[in-house]
Amino acid sequence: MPADADLLDAWHTPEFLGDFNQFGVSFEPMRQAIERTGLLGEHGGQLIIETAAGEPVGTVSWHAVRYGPNPESTALNVGINLIPSARGRGLGAVAQRLLVEYLFARTSANRIEAMTDVDNVAEQRSLEKAGFVREGVAIGAQFRAGAWHDLVVYSAVRPAG
């Protein structure tokens, strides 16, 4: 919603992004992004995380990645960012589990994946609590803060049936 644009723009700070999400890229002002896309789509989007009391505490997002030339080989890569006061409270695991359920219900993706820095142990625990399966390590996959970083790869695959 356009009313959320100011909050989302205000969260683009080093404190909100934390050590593992600062890539040195500029972002489109959220009001423009919301007006252009609504921040929701099968191949990419962003949602605000709220507590049960309705307090906004962060965002979850997703974007499409391809593992083959056909549309069926599209997976969704998800990410999360919580305000510092919301970290360590279990909110990330709940939000990521709910995001997986949301994406499986509303998209045709068979695979939802997440990757996190090998040093981001808190996010690794959160992903595992959310039901993601650890697959391995992508060596030198991410350039951030002037250096290459290894990422732990996690996935959730659509249940058969």
Side-chain angles (χ1 to χ4, degrees):
M1 297 181 62
D4 297 324
D6 293 338
L7 174 64
L8 293 171
D9 282 335
W11 279 347
H12 280 223
T13 66
E15 293 77 27
F16 175 71
L17 295 174
D19 294 335
F20 300 107
N21 286 317
Q22 293 190 40
F23 295 95
V25 297
S26 60
F27 293 93
E28 174 182 20
M30 292 310 295
R31 189 166 309 284
Q32 290 174 324
I34 291 169
E35 289 171 358
R36 187 174 49 77
T37 68
L39 297 184
L40 286 176
E42 180 166 350
H43 298 291
Q46 182 175 28
L47 297 169
I48 293 177
I49 302 165
E50 292 184 347
T51 64
E55 171 194 6
V57 294
T59 60
V60 288
S61 61
W62 64 96
H63 66 273
V65 292
R66 296 287 288 266
Y67 288 101
N70 57 330
E72 295 82 9
S73 296
T74 300
L76 298 174
N77 184 288
V78 300
I80 187 168
N81 241 330
L82 295 173
I83 61 174
S85 63
R87 296 175 188 156
R89 297 171 34 196
L91 298 172
V94 172
Q96 291 174 113
R97 180 180 46 77
L98 291 172
L99 179 61
V100 168
E101 291 173 10
Y102 173 87
L103 292 172
F104 280 149
R106 288 168 178 79
T107 73
S108 59
N110 185 61
R111 174 187 171 85
I112 298 172
E113 62 185 28
M115 298 179 186
T116 190
D117 193 282
V118 293
D119 293 329
N120 193 348
V121 176
E123 175 59 1
Q124 292 171 44
R125 280 195 299 261
S126 180
L127 288 165
E128 290 165 4
K129 287 178 184 175
F132 283 83
V133 174
R134 182 183 174 122
E135 294 183 334
V137 176
I139 306 290
Q142 186 177 83
F143 190 79
R144 175 177 37 80
W148 290 100
H149 296 267
D150 299 343
L151 299 177
V152 183
V153 179
Y154 287 87
S155 70
V157 177
R158 183 181 294 277

